[in-house]
Amino acid sequence: MSAPPPGPPLGLRLANTAKIVSGAFDEALGAVGGSRPRWLVLMALRKHPAANQRELAAAVGIRAATLTQHLDGMEADGLLTRRRDPRNRRTHLVELTEEGEKAFHRMREAAVEFDRRLHTGLDERDLTCLEGLLDRLSANVAPPGESNTRPPVD
C-alpha cells in the first residue's frame, strides 16, 4: 500500500475551492438583486422562450417542485409569466417579461465581471491546463461508461 499524497486530499481542496468560488459568485449575483437559481432560470428562458415547466426544470437541473418555488417568487417579482399551454391545458408555459429581460442583463453583466475576476493572473496556457484538469477530475469520478463533463452554459 502506498503512502497518501502530502497535504490535504485533492477532493477536499477542490470542494473547498468550489465552495469559496460558489459563494463569491452568489454574492456577485446578489449585489444586482439576483441569485443562482434565478440566473439559471433566466438563462434557460433566454435560450428556450415559452418553455414548459418540465423542460425548464430539466434545463436548470432541479426538481419540478423546487423550480415551482423559484417560479412563484420570480412571477411575484414580475420577472416572468406563466400561462396554460393552449395545446395541453395541463402544462404551463413560462415566459420572460420586460422586467425579466432587464434582470437577465444585470445578472449577465455581474456574471461576466465575476468571470473576469476568475481569469485574473491566468493566461491561455493556464486556462487550457485548468480546463483539462477539471475534465480529467470529472472523468476520474464518473461511473464506468459515463461522462461527468457538461457542455458550457450559453
Side-chain angles (χ1 to χ4, degrees):
M1 187 160 97
S2 63
L10 183 57
L12 182 59
R13 287 218 41 211
L14 182 61
N16 287 341
T17 301
K19 185 176 180 180
I20 291 166
V21 171
S22 181
F25 184 58
D26 290 343
E27 287 179 22
L29 290 174
V32 295
S35 67
R36 187 182 324 214
R38 285 180 175 221
W39 173 234
L40 294 172
V41 168
L42 293 174
M43 282 194 310
L45 285 173
R46 287 290 308 255
K47 189 171 184 176
H48 305 286
N52 71 49
Q53 287 186 209
R54 190 172 357 104
E55 294 166 340
L56 196 54
V60 173
I62 60 176
R63 293 186 351 245
T66 303
L67 175 68
T68 299
Q69 292 175 341
H70 293 298
L71 295 181
D72 288 346
M74 293 176 75
E75 188 172 33
D77 291 342
L79 303 179
L80 55 84
T81 61
R82 288 182 282 188
R83 62 181 170 84
R84 296 268 182 205
D85 184 340
R87 297 173 308 228
N88 180 352
R89 303 287 296 158
R90 294 177 295 170
T91 303
H92 284 94
L93 296 177
V94 183
E95 298 173 298
L96 285 180
T97 62
E98 186 175 322
E99 191 56 41
E101 281 287 332
K102 290 176 186 176
F104 169 80
H105 289 289
R106 283 191 308 272
M107 286 186 240
R108 181 176 64 183
E109 186 59 39
V112 167
E113 181 55 36
F114 183 79
D115 199 53
R116 283 188 191 111
R117 283 178 56 200
L118 282 178
H119 281 80
T120 301
L122 301 175
D123 61 24
E124 283 301 313
R125 190 169 143 217
D126 293 332
L127 292 172
T128 299
C129 181
L130 177 60
E131 289 168 359
L133 290 169
L134 292 172
D135 288 344
R136 168 55 39 213
L137 291 172
S138 184
N140 286 350
V141 298
E146 291 185 27
S147 171
N148 280 347
T149 58
R150 295 171 58 168
V153 177
D154 292 327

mmCIF file with all atom_site columns, all heavy atoms in Angstrom, residues 56-84:
data_model
loop_
_atom_site.group_PDB
_atom_site.id
_atom_site.type_symbol
_atom_site.label_atom_id
_atom_site.label_alt_id
_atom_site.label_comp_id
_atom_site.label_asym_id
_atom_site.label_entity_id
_atom_site.label_seq_id
_atom_site.pdbx_PDB_ins_code
_atom_site.Cartn_x
_atom_site.Cartn_y
_atom_site.Cartn_z
_atom_site.occupancy
_atom_site.B_iso_or_equiv
_atom_site.pdbx_formal_charge
_atom_site.auth_seq_id
_atom_site.auth_comp_id
_atom_site.auth_asym_id
_atom_site.auth_atom_id
_atom_site.pdbx_PDB_model_num
ATOM 1   N N   . LEU A 1 56 ? -38.118 23.346 -18.439 1.00 0.00 ? 56 LEU A N   1
ATOM 2   C CA  . LEU A 1 56 ? -37.323 24.327 -17.702 1.00 0.00 ? 56 LEU A CA  1
ATOM 3   C C   . LEU A 1 56 ? -36.593 23.675 -16.525 1.00 0.00 ? 56 LEU A C   1
ATOM 4   O O   . LEU A 1 56 ? -35.407 23.921 -16.308 1.00 0.00 ? 56 LEU A O   1
ATOM 5   C CB  . LEU A 1 56 ? -38.234 25.455 -17.223 1.00 0.00 ? 56 LEU A CB  1
ATOM 6   C CG  . LEU A 1 56 ? -37.602 26.739 -16.765 1.00 0.00 ? 56 LEU A CG  1
ATOM 7   C CD1 . LEU A 1 56 ? -36.660 27.313 -17.805 1.00 0.00 ? 56 LEU A CD1 1
ATOM 8   C CD2 . LEU A 1 56 ? -38.699 27.756 -16.445 1.00 0.00 ? 56 LEU A CD2 1
ATOM 9   N N   . ALA A 1 57 ? -37.276 22.812 -15.798 1.00 0.00 ? 57 ALA A N   1
ATOM 10  C CA  . ALA A 1 57 ? -36.647 22.114 -14.671 1.00 0.00 ? 57 ALA A CA  1
ATOM 11  C C   . ALA A 1 57 ? -35.472 21.266 -15.166 1.00 0.00 ? 57 ALA A C   1
ATOM 12  O O   . ALA A 1 57 ? -34.405 21.255 -14.547 1.00 0.00 ? 57 ALA A O   1
ATOM 13  C CB  . ALA A 1 57 ? -37.668 21.241 -13.943 1.00 0.00 ? 57 ALA A CB  1
ATOM 14  N N   . ALA A 1 58 ? -35.657 20.585 -16.290 1.00 0.00 ? 58 ALA A N   1
ATOM 15  C CA  . ALA A 1 58 ? -34.568 19.763 -16.846 1.00 0.00 ? 58 ALA A CA  1
ATOM 16  C C   . ALA A 1 58 ? -33.400 20.638 -17.284 1.00 0.00 ? 58 ALA A C   1
ATOM 17  O O   . ALA A 1 58 ? -32.233 20.310 -17.035 1.00 0.00 ? 58 ALA A O   1
ATOM 18  C CB  . ALA A 1 58 ? -35.089 18.939 -18.018 1.00 0.00 ? 58 ALA A CB  1
ATOM 19  N N   . ALA A 1 59 ? -33.694 21.778 -17.908 1.00 0.00 ? 59 ALA A N   1
ATOM 20  C CA  . ALA A 1 59 ? -32.633 22.678 -18.382 1.00 0.00 ? 59 ALA A CA  1
ATOM 21  C C   . ALA A 1 59 ? -31.848 23.270 -17.219 1.00 0.00 ? 59 ALA A C   1
ATOM 22  O O   . ALA A 1 59 ? -30.631 23.443 -17.310 1.00 0.00 ? 59 ALA A O   1
ATOM 23  C CB  . ALA A 1 59 ? -33.237 23.791 -19.238 1.00 0.00 ? 59 ALA A CB  1
ATOM 24  N N   . VAL A 1 60 ? -32.522 23.569 -16.132 1.00 0.00 ? 60 VAL A N   1
ATOM 25  C CA  . VAL A 1 60 ? -31.872 24.165 -14.964 1.00 0.00 ? 60 VAL A CA  1
ATOM 26  C C   . VAL A 1 60 ? -31.202 23.095 -14.103 1.00 0.00 ? 60 VAL A C   1
ATOM 27  O O   . VAL A 1 60 ? -30.238 23.372 -13.393 1.00 0.00 ? 60 VAL A O   1
ATOM 28  C CB  . VAL A 1 60 ? -32.898 24.988 -14.147 1.00 0.00 ? 60 VAL A CB  1
ATOM 29  C CG1 . VAL A 1 60 ? -32.330 25.479 -12.840 1.00 0.00 ? 60 VAL A CG1 1
ATOM 30  C CG2 . VAL A 1 60 ? -33.402 26.166 -14.977 1.00 0.00 ? 60 VAL A CG2 1
ATOM 31  N N   . GLY A 1 61 ? -31.706 21.862 -14.179 1.00 0.00 ? 61 GLY A N   1
ATOM 32  C CA  . GLY A 1 61 ? -31.118 20.766 -13.424 1.00 0.00 ? 61 GLY A CA  1
ATOM 33  C C   . GLY A 1 61 ? -31.634 20.657 -12.001 1.00 0.00 ? 61 GLY A C   1
ATOM 34  O O   . GLY A 1 61 ? -30.891 20.281 -11.097 1.00 0.00 ? 61 GLY A O   1
ATOM 35  N N   . ILE A 1 62 ? -32.929 21.011 -11.812 1.00 0.00 ? 62 ILE A N   1
ATOM 36  C CA  . ILE A 1 62 ? -33.542 20.885 -10.489 1.00 0.00 ? 62 ILE A CA  1
ATOM 37  C C   . ILE A 1 62 ? -34.880 20.170 -10.620 1.00 0.00 ? 62 ILE A C   1
ATOM 38  O O   . ILE A 1 62 ? -35.425 20.039 -11.712 1.00 0.00 ? 62 ILE A O   1
ATOM 39  C CB  . ILE A 1 62 ? -33.728 22.257 -9.793  1.00 0.00 ? 62 ILE A CB  1
ATOM 40  C CG1 . ILE A 1 62 ? -34.620 23.182 -10.620 1.00 0.00 ? 62 ILE A CG1 1
ATOM 41  C CG2 . ILE A 1 62 ? -32.389 22.903 -9.508  1.00 0.00 ? 62 ILE A CG2 1
ATOM 42  C CD1 . ILE A 1 62 ? -34.922 24.505 -9.939  1.00 0.00 ? 62 ILE A CD1 1
ATOM 43  N N   . ARG A 1 63 ? -35.400 19.723 -9.486  1.00 0.00 ? 63 ARG A N   1
ATOM 44  C CA  . ARG A 1 63 ? -36.700 19.040 -9.484  1.00 0.00 ? 63 ARG A CA  1
ATOM 45  C C   . ARG A 1 63 ? -37.811 20.041 -9.783  1.00 0.00 ? 63 ARG A C   1
ATOM 46  O O   . ARG A 1 63 ? -37.708 21.233 -9.462  1.00 0.00 ? 63 ARG A O   1
ATOM 47  C CB  . ARG A 1 63 ? -36.954 18.398 -8.123  1.00 0.00 ? 63 ARG A CB  1
ATOM 48  C CG  . ARG A 1 63 ? -36.009 17.264 -7.801  1.00 0.00 ? 63 ARG A CG  1
ATOM 49  C CD  . ARG A 1 63 ? -36.376 16.536 -6.503  1.00 0.00 ? 63 ARG A CD  1
ATOM 50  N NE  . ARG A 1 63 ? -37.421 17.173 -5.729  1.00 0.00 ? 63 ARG A NE  1
ATOM 51  C CZ  . ARG A 1 63 ? -37.255 17.692 -4.520  1.00 0.00 ? 63 ARG A CZ  1
ATOM 52  N NH1 . ARG A 1 63 ? -36.080 17.667 -3.949  1.00 0.00 ? 63 ARG A NH1 1
ATOM 53  N NH2 . ARG A 1 63 ? -38.271 18.233 -3.880  1.00 0.00 ? 63 ARG A NH2 1
ATOM 54  N N   . ALA A 1 64 ? -38.876 19.545 -10.377 1.00 0.00 ? 64 ALA A N   1
ATOM 55  C CA  . ALA A 1 64 ? -40.005 20.405 -10.745 1.00 0.00 ? 64 ALA A CA  1
ATOM 56  C C   . ALA A 1 64 ? -40.588 21.133 -9.535  1.00 0.00 ? 64 ALA A C   1
ATOM 57  O O   . ALA A 1 64 ? -40.939 22.309 -9.616  1.00 0.00 ? 64 ALA A O   1
ATOM 58  C CB  . ALA A 1 64 ? -41.087 19.583 -11.452 1.00 0.00 ? 64 ALA A CB  1
ATOM 59  N N   . ALA A 1 65 ? -40.686 20.447 -8.389  1.00 0.00 ? 65 ALA A N   1
ATOM 60  C CA  . ALA A 1 65 ? -41.247 21.085 -7.187  1.00 0.00 ? 65 ALA A CA  1
ATOM 61  C C   . ALA A 1 65 ? -40.374 22.239 -6.718  1.00 0.00 ? 65 ALA A C   1
ATOM 62  O O   . ALA A 1 65 ? -40.878 23.289 -6.315  1.00 0.00 ? 65 ALA A O   1
ATOM 63  C CB  . ALA A 1 65 ? -41.408 20.054 -6.076  1.00 0.00 ? 65 ALA A CB  1
ATOM 64  N N   . THR A 1 66 ? -39.070 22.066 -6.796  1.00 0.00 ? 66 THR A N   1
ATOM 65  C CA  . THR A 1 66 ? -38.148 23.133 -6.413  1.00 0.00 ? 66 THR A CA  1
ATOM 66  C C   . THR A 1 66 ? -38.262 24.295 -7.388  1.00 0.00 ? 66 THR A C   1
ATOM 67  O O   . THR A 1 66 ? -38.277 25.466 -6.985  1.00 0.00 ? 66 THR A O   1
ATOM 68  C CB  . THR A 1 66 ? -36.700 22.608 -6.372  1.00 0.00 ? 66 THR A CB  1
ATOM 69  O OG1 . THR A 1 66 ? -36.639 21.508 -5.461  1.00 0.00 ? 66 THR A OG1 1
ATOM 70  C CG2 . THR A 1 66 ? -35.728 23.690 -5.936  1.00 0.00 ? 66 THR A CG2 1
ATOM 71  N N   . LEU A 1 67 ? -38.345 23.967 -8.676  1.00 0.00 ? 67 LEU A N   1
ATOM 72  C CA  . LEU A 1 67 ? -38.496 25.008 -9.689  1.00 0.00 ? 67 LEU A CA  1
ATOM 73  C C   . LEU A 1 67 ? -39.755 25.823 -9.438  1.00 0.00 ? 67 LEU A C   1
ATOM 74  O O   . LEU A 1 67 ? -39.729 27.052 -9.542  1.00 0.00 ? 67 LEU A O   1
ATOM 75  C CB  . LEU A 1 67 ? -38.536 24.406 -11.094 1.00 0.00 ? 67 LEU A CB  1
ATOM 76  C CG  . LEU A 1 67 ? -38.811 25.419 -12.200 1.00 0.00 ? 67 LEU A CG  1
ATOM 77  C CD1 . LEU A 1 67 ? -37.639 26.380 -12.358 1.00 0.00 ? 67 LEU A CD1 1
ATOM 78  C CD2 . LEU A 1 67 ? -39.105 24.712 -13.515 1.00 0.00 ? 67 LEU A CD2 1
ATOM 79  N N   . THR A 1 68 ? -40.848 25.165 -9.086  1.00 0.00 ? 68 THR A N   1
ATOM 80  C CA  . THR A 1 68 ? -42.115 25.867 -8.857  1.00 0.00 ? 68 THR A CA  1
ATOM 81  C C   . THR A 1 68 ? -41.956 26.930 -7.786  1.00 0.00 ? 68 THR A C   1
ATOM 82  O O   . THR A 1 68 ? -42.466 28.049 -7.934  1.00 0.00 ? 68 THR A O   1
ATOM 83  C CB  . THR A 1 68 ? -43.219 24.860 -8.483  1.00 0.00 ? 68 THR A CB  1
ATOM 84  O OG1 . THR A 1 68 ? -43.397 23.952 -9.571  1.00 0.00 ? 68 THR A OG1 1
ATOM 85  C CG2 . THR A 1 68 ? -44.540 25.566 -8.200  1.00 0.00 ? 68 THR A CG2 1
ATOM 86  N N   . GLN A 1 69 ? -41.218 26.628 -6.731  1.00 0.00 ? 69 GLN A N   1
ATOM 87  C CA  . GLN A 1 69 ? -40.993 27.628 -5.676  1.00 0.00 ? 69 GLN A CA  1
ATOM 88  C C   . GLN A 1 69 ? -40.254 28.844 -6.229  1.00 0.00 ? 69 GLN A C   1
ATOM 89  O O   . GLN A 1 69 ? -40.612 29.981 -5.916  1.00 0.00 ? 69 GLN A O   1
ATOM 90  C CB  . GLN A 1 69 ? -40.191 27.010 -4.528  1.00 0.00 ? 69 GLN A CB  1
ATOM 91  C CG  . GLN A 1 69 ? -40.944 25.962 -3.761  1.00 0.00 ? 69 GLN A CG  1
ATOM 92  C CD  . GLN A 1 69 ? -40.073 25.292 -2.716  1.00 0.00 ? 69 GLN A CD  1
ATOM 93  O OE1 . GLN A 1 69 ? -38.848 25.341 -2.783  1.00 0.00 ? 69 GLN A OE1 1
ATOM 94  N NE2 . GLN A 1 69 ? -40.701 24.649 -1.745  1.00 0.00 ? 69 GLN A NE2 1
ATOM 95  N N   . HIS A 1 70 ? -39.235 28.601 -7.045  1.00 0.00 ? 70 HIS A N   1
ATOM 96  C CA  . HIS A 1 70 ? -38.492 29.715 -7.636  1.00 0.00 ? 70 HIS A CA  1
ATOM 97  C C   . HIS A 1 70 ? -39.373 30.511 -8.594  1.00 0.00 ? 70 HIS A C   1
ATOM 98  O O   . HIS A 1 70 ? -39.343 31.745 -8.592  1.00 0.00 ? 70 HIS A O   1
ATOM 99  C CB  . HIS A 1 70 ? -37.239 29.216 -8.355  1.00 0.00 ? 70 HIS A CB  1
ATOM 100 C CG  . HIS A 1 70 ? -36.220 28.638 -7.440  1.00 0.00 ? 70 HIS A CG  1
ATOM 101 N ND1 . HIS A 1 70 ? -35.599 29.363 -6.448  1.00 0.00 ? 70 HIS A ND1 1
ATOM 102 C CD2 . HIS A 1 70 ? -35.707 27.389 -7.363  1.00 0.00 ? 70 HIS A CD2 1
ATOM 103 C CE1 . HIS A 1 70 ? -34.744 28.588 -5.802  1.00 0.00 ? 70 HIS A CE1 1
ATOM 104 N NE2 . HIS A 1 70 ? -34.797 27.387 -6.332  1.00 0.00 ? 70 HIS A NE2 1
ATOM 105 N N   . LEU A 1 71 ? -40.154 29.808 -9.398  1.00 0.00 ? 71 LEU A N   1
ATOM 106 C CA  . LEU A 1 71 ? -41.019 30.495 -10.363 1.00 0.00 ? 71 LEU A CA  1
ATOM 107 C C   . LEU A 1 71 ? -42.072 31.334 -9.647  1.00 0.00 ? 71 LEU A C   1
ATOM 108 O O   . LEU A 1 71 ? -42.404 32.430 -10.114 1.00 0.00 ? 71 LEU A O   1
ATOM 109 C CB  . LEU A 1 71 ? -41.690 29.494 -11.306 1.00 0.00 ? 71 LEU A CB  1
ATOM 110 C CG  . LEU A 1 71 ? -40.761 28.720 -12.235 1.00 0.00 ? 71 LEU A CG  1
ATOM 111 C CD1 . LEU A 1 71 ? -41.576 27.774 -13.121 1.00 0.00 ? 71 LEU A CD1 1
ATOM 112 C CD2 . LEU A 1 71 ? -39.895 29.637 -13.066 1.00 0.00 ? 71 LEU A CD2 1
ATOM 113 N N   . ASP A 1 72 ? -42.592 30.836 -8.535  1.00 0.00 ? 72 ASP A N   1
ATOM 114 C CA  . ASP A 1 72 ? -43.577 31.608 -7.764  1.00 0.00 ? 72 ASP A CA  1
ATOM 115 C C   . ASP A 1 72 ? -42.997 32.964 -7.369  1.00 0.00 ? 72 ASP A C   1
ATOM 116 O O   . ASP A 1 72 ? -43.631 34.011 -7.559  1.00 0.00 ? 72 ASP A O   1
ATOM 117 C CB  . ASP A 1 72 ? -44.017 30.850 -6.510  1.00 0.00 ? 72 ASP A CB  1
ATOM 118 C CG  . ASP A 1 72 ? -44.911 29.660 -6.792  1.00 0.00 ? 72 ASP A CG  1
ATOM 119 O OD1 . ASP A 1 72 ? -45.429 29.544 -7.922  1.00 0.00 ? 72 ASP A OD1 1
ATOM 120 O OD2 . ASP A 1 72 ? -45.081 28.824 -5.872  1.00 0.00 ? 72 ASP A OD2 1
ATOM 121 N N   . GLY A 1 73 ? -41.785 32.948 -6.827  1.00 0.00 ? 73 GLY A N   1
ATOM 122 C CA  . GLY A 1 73 ? -41.142 34.198 -6.415  1.00 0.00 ? 73 GLY A CA  1
ATOM 123 C C   . GLY A 1 73 ? -40.810 35.094 -7.590  1.00 0.00 ? 73 GLY A C   1
ATOM 124 O O   . GLY A 1 73 ? -40.997 36.316 -7.527  1.00 0.00 ? 73 GLY A O   1
ATOM 125 N N   . MET A 1 74 ? -40.331 34.502 -8.671  1.00 0.00 ? 74 MET A N   1
ATOM 126 C CA  . MET A 1 74 ? -39.972 35.294 -9.847  1.00 0.00 ? 74 MET A CA  1
ATOM 127 C C   . MET A 1 74 ? -41.215 35.892 -10.503 1.00 0.00 ? 74 MET A C   1
ATOM 128 O O   . MET A 1 74 ? -41.171 37.034 -10.981 1.00 0.00 ? 74 MET A O   1
ATOM 129 C CB  . MET A 1 74 ? -39.196 34.425 -10.842 1.00 0.00 ? 74 MET A CB  1
ATOM 130 C CG  . MET A 1 74 ? -37.825 34.011 -10.323 1.00 0.00 ? 74 MET A CG  1
ATOM 131 S SD  . MET A 1 74 ? -36.948 32.884 -11.424 1.00 0.00 ? 74 MET A SD  1
ATOM 132 C CE  . MET A 1 74 ? -36.433 34.050 -12.712 1.00 0.00 ? 74 MET A CE  1
ATOM 133 N N   . GLU A 1 75 ? -42.300 35.159 -10.486 1.00 0.00 ? 75 GLU A N   1
ATOM 134 C CA  . GLU A 1 75 ? -43.546 35.689 -11.041 1.00 0.00 ? 75 GLU A CA  1
ATOM 135 C C   . GLU A 1 75 ? -44.063 36.831 -10.163 1.00 0.00 ? 75 GLU A C   1
ATOM 136 O O   . GLU A 1 75 ? -44.479 37.880 -10.669 1.00 0.00 ? 75 GLU A O   1
ATOM 137 C CB  . GLU A 1 75 ? -44.588 34.579 -11.166 1.00 0.00 ? 75 GLU A CB  1
ATOM 138 C CG  . GLU A 1 75 ? -45.843 35.009 -11.911 1.00 0.00 ? 75 GLU A CG  1
ATOM 139 C CD  . GLU A 1 75 ? -46.787 33.849 -12.185 1.00 0.00 ? 75 GLU A CD  1
ATOM 140 O OE1 . GLU A 1 75 ? -46.866 32.913 -11.367 1.00 0.00 ? 75 GLU A OE1 1
ATOM 141 O OE2 . GLU A 1 75 ? -47.451 33.903 -13.236 1.00 0.00 ? 75 GLU A OE2 1
ATOM 142 N N   . ALA A 1 76 ? -43.999 36.660 -8.854  1.00 0.00 ? 76 ALA A N   1
ATOM 143 C CA  . ALA A 1 76 ? -44.436 37.710 -7.926  1.00 0.00 ? 76 ALA A CA  1
ATOM 144 C C   . ALA A 1 76 ? -43.594 38.977 -8.096  1.00 0.00 ? 76 ALA A C   1
ATOM 145 O O   . ALA A 1 76 ? -44.104 40.089 -7.924  1.00 0.00 ? 76 ALA A O   1
ATOM 146 C CB  . ALA A 1 76 ? -44.352 37.213 -6.480  1.00 0.00 ? 76 ALA A CB  1
ATOM 147 N N   . ASP A 1 77 ? -42.322 38.816 -8.470  1.00 0.00 ? 77 ASP A N   1
ATOM 148 C CA  . ASP A 1 77 ? -41.436 39.964 -8.697  1.00 0.00 ? 77 ASP A CA  1
ATOM 149 C C   . ASP A 1 77 ? -41.544 40.525 -10.105 1.00 0.00 ? 77 ASP A C   1
ATOM 150 O O   . ASP A 1 77 ? -40.808 41.459 -10.459 1.00 0.00 ? 77 ASP A O   1
ATOM 151 C CB  . ASP A 1 77 ? -39.985 39.571 -8.414  1.00 0.00 ? 77 ASP A CB  1
ATOM 152 C CG  . ASP A 1 77 ? -39.725 39.314 -6.939  1.00 0.00 ? 77 ASP A CG  1
ATOM 153 O OD1 . ASP A 1 77 ? -40.543 39.757 -6.100  1.00 0.00 ? 77 ASP A OD1 1
ATOM 154 O OD2 . ASP A 1 77 ? -38.706 38.674 -6.628  1.00 0.00 ? 77 ASP A OD2 1
ATOM 155 N N   . GLY A 1 78 ? -42.420 39.953 -10.920 1.00 0.00 ? 78 GLY A N   1
ATOM 156 C CA  . GLY A 1 78 ? -42.647 40.473 -12.262 1.00 0.00 ? 78 GLY A CA  1
ATOM 157 C C   . GLY A 1 78 ? -41.599 40.081 -13.295 1.00 0.00 ? 78 GLY A C   1
ATOM 158 O O   . GLY A 1 78 ? -41.511 40.700 -14.349 1.00 0.00 ? 78 GLY A O   1
ATOM 159 N N   . LEU A 1 79 ? -40.805 39.036 -13.006 1.00 0.00 ? 79 LEU A N   1
ATOM 160 C CA  . LEU A 1 79 ? -39.740 38.643 -13.928 1.00 0.00 ? 79 LEU A CA  1
ATOM 161 C C   . LEU A 1 79 ? -40.215 37.687 -15.018 1.00 0.00 ? 79 LEU A C   1
ATOM 162 O O   . LEU A 1 79 ? -39.576 37.576 -16.073 1.00 0.00 ? 79 LEU A O   1
ATOM 163 C CB  . LEU A 1 79 ? -38.589 37.991 -13.160 1.00 0.00 ? 79 LEU A CB  1
ATOM 164 C CG  . LEU A 1 79 ? -37.951 38.831 -12.057 1.00 0.00 ? 79 LEU A CG  1
ATOM 165 C CD1 . LEU A 1 79 ? -36.836 38.054 -11.372 1.00 0.00 ? 79 LEU A CD1 1
ATOM 166 C CD2 . LEU A 1 79 ? -37.443 40.143 -12.611 1.00 0.00 ? 79 LEU A CD2 1
ATOM 167 N N   . LEU A 1 80 ? -41.326 37.011 -14.765 1.00 0.00 ? 80 LEU A N   1
ATOM 168 C CA  . LEU A 1 80 ? -41.837 36.060 -15.746 1.00 0.00 ? 80 LEU A CA  1
ATOM 169 C C   . LEU A 1 80 ? -43.340 35.912 -15.582 1.00 0.00 ? 80 LEU A C   1
ATOM 170 O O   . LEU A 1 80 ? -43.918 36.370 -14.597 1.00 0.00 ? 80 LEU A O   1
ATOM 171 C CB  . LEU A 1 80 ? -41.124 34.703 -15.614 1.00 0.00 ? 80 LEU A CB  1
ATOM 172 C CG  . LEU A 1 80 ? -41.132 34.021 -14.249 1.00 0.00 ? 80 LEU A CG  1
ATOM 173 C CD1 . LEU A 1 80 ? -42.405 33.206 -14.013 1.00 0.00 ? 80 LEU A CD1 1
ATOM 174 C CD2 . LEU A 1 80 ? -39.924 33.116 -14.142 1.00 0.00 ? 80 LEU A CD2 1
ATOM 175 N N   . THR A 1 81 ? -43.933 35.304 -16.585 1.00 0.00 ? 81 THR A N   1
ATOM 176 C CA  . THR A 1 81 ? -45.358 34.964 -16.528 1.00 0.00 ? 81 THR A CA  1
ATOM 177 C C   . THR A 1 81 ? -45.502 33.477 -16.800 1.00 0.00 ? 81 THR A C   1
ATOM 178 O O   . THR A 1 81 ? -44.662 32.869 -17.464 1.00 0.00 ? 81 THR A O   1
ATOM 179 C CB  . THR A 1 81 ? -46.184 35.752 -17.559 1.00 0.00 ? 81 THR A CB  1
ATOM 180 O OG1 . THR A 1 81 ? -45.717 35.433 -18.872 1.00 0.00 ? 81 THR A OG1 1
ATOM 181 C CG2 . THR A 1 81 ? -46.109 37.242 -17.321 1.00 0.00 ? 81 THR A CG2 1
ATOM 182 N N   . ARG A 1 82 ? -46.588 32.912 -16.273 1.00 0.00 ? 82 ARG A N   1
ATOM 183 C CA  . ARG A 1 82 ? -46.938 31.524 -16.562 1.00 0.00 ? 82 ARG A CA  1
ATOM 184 C C   . ARG A 1 82 ? -48.364 31.512 -17.086 1.00 0.00 ? 82 ARG A C   1
ATOM 185 O O   . ARG A 1 82 ? -49.225 32.232 -16.586 1.00 0.00 ? 82 ARG A O   1
ATOM 186 C CB  . ARG A 1 82 ? -46.849 30.657 -15.311 1.00 0.00 ? 82 ARG A CB  1
ATOM 187 C CG  . ARG A 1 82 ? -45.427 30.410 -14.879 1.00 0.00 ? 82 ARG A CG  1
ATOM 188 C CD  . ARG A 1 82 ? -45.353 29.505 -13.676 1.00 0.00 ? 82 ARG A CD  1
ATOM 189 N NE  . ARG A 1 82 ? -45.687 30.267 -12.467 1.00 0.00 ? 82 ARG A NE  1
ATOM 190 C CZ  . ARG A 1 82 ? -45.555 29.799 -11.237 1.00 0.00 ? 82 ARG A CZ  1
ATOM 191 N NH1 . ARG A 1 82 ? -45.125 28.580 -11.033 1.00 0.00 ? 82 ARG A NH1 1
ATOM 192 N NH2 . ARG A 1 82 ? -45.849 30.547 -10.196 1.00 0.00 ? 82 ARG A NH2 1
ATOM 193 N N   . ARG A 1 83 ? -48.567 30.705 -18.112 1.00 0.00 ? 83 ARG A N   1
ATOM 194 C CA  . ARG A 1 83 ? -49.918 30.564 -18.665 1.00 0.00 ? 83 ARG A CA  1
ATOM 195 C C   . ARG A 1 83 ? -50.096 29.126 -19.135 1.00 0.00 ? 83 ARG A C   1
ATOM 196 O O   . ARG A 1 83 ? -49.130 28.425 -19.403 1.00 0.00 ? 83 ARG A O   1
ATOM 197 C CB  . ARG A 1 83 ? -50.146 31.541 -19.810 1.00 0.00 ? 83 ARG A CB  1
ATOM 198 C CG  . ARG A 1 83 ? -49.228 31.343 -20.993 1.00 0.00 ? 83 ARG A CG  1
ATOM 199 C CD  . ARG A 1 83 ? -49.483 32.360 -22.103 1.00 0.00 ? 83 ARG A CD  1
ATOM 200 N NE  . ARG A 1 83 ? -48.454 32.305 -23.116 1.00 0.00 ? 83 ARG A NE  1
ATOM 201 C CZ  . ARG A 1 83 ? -48.442 31.456 -24.144 1.00 0.00 ? 83 ARG A CZ  1
ATOM 202 N NH1 . ARG A 1 83 ? -49.433 30.597 -24.297 1.00 0.00 ? 83 ARG A NH1 1
ATOM 203 N NH2 . ARG A 1 83 ? -47.459 31.463 -25.018 1.00 0.00 ? 83 ARG A NH2 1
ATOM 204 N N   . ARG A 1 84 ? -51.344 28.725 -19.238 1.00 0.00 ? 84 ARG A N   1
ATOM 205 C CA  . ARG A 1 84 ? -51.642 27.370 -19.709 1.00 0.00 ? 84 ARG A CA  1
ATOM 206 C C   . ARG A 1 84 ? -51.263 27.254 -21.181 1.00 0.00 ? 84 ARG A C   1
ATOM 207 O O   . ARG A 1 84 ? -51.471 28.175 -21.964 1.00 0.00 ? 84 ARG A O   1
ATOM 208 C CB  . ARG A 1 84 ? -53.122 27.056 -19.564 1.00 0.00 ? 84 ARG A CB  1
ATOM 209 C CG  . ARG A 1 84 ? -53.608 27.038 -18.151 1.00 0.00 ? 84 ARG A CG  1
ATOM 210 C CD  . ARG A 1 84 ? -53.531 25.662 -17.584 1.00 0.00 ? 84 ARG A CD  1
ATOM 211 N NE  . ARG A 1 84 ? -54.048 25.660 -16.214 1.00 0.00 ? 84 ARG A NE  1
ATOM 212 C CZ  . ARG A 1 84 ? -53.683 24.780 -15.345 1.00 0.00 ? 84 ARG A CZ  1
ATOM 213 N NH1 . ARG A 1 84 ? -52.832 23.850 -15.643 1.00 0.00 ? 84 ARG A NH1 1
ATOM 214 N NH2 . ARG A 1 84 ? -54.168 24.818 -14.137 1.00 0.00 ? 84 ARG A NH2 1
#
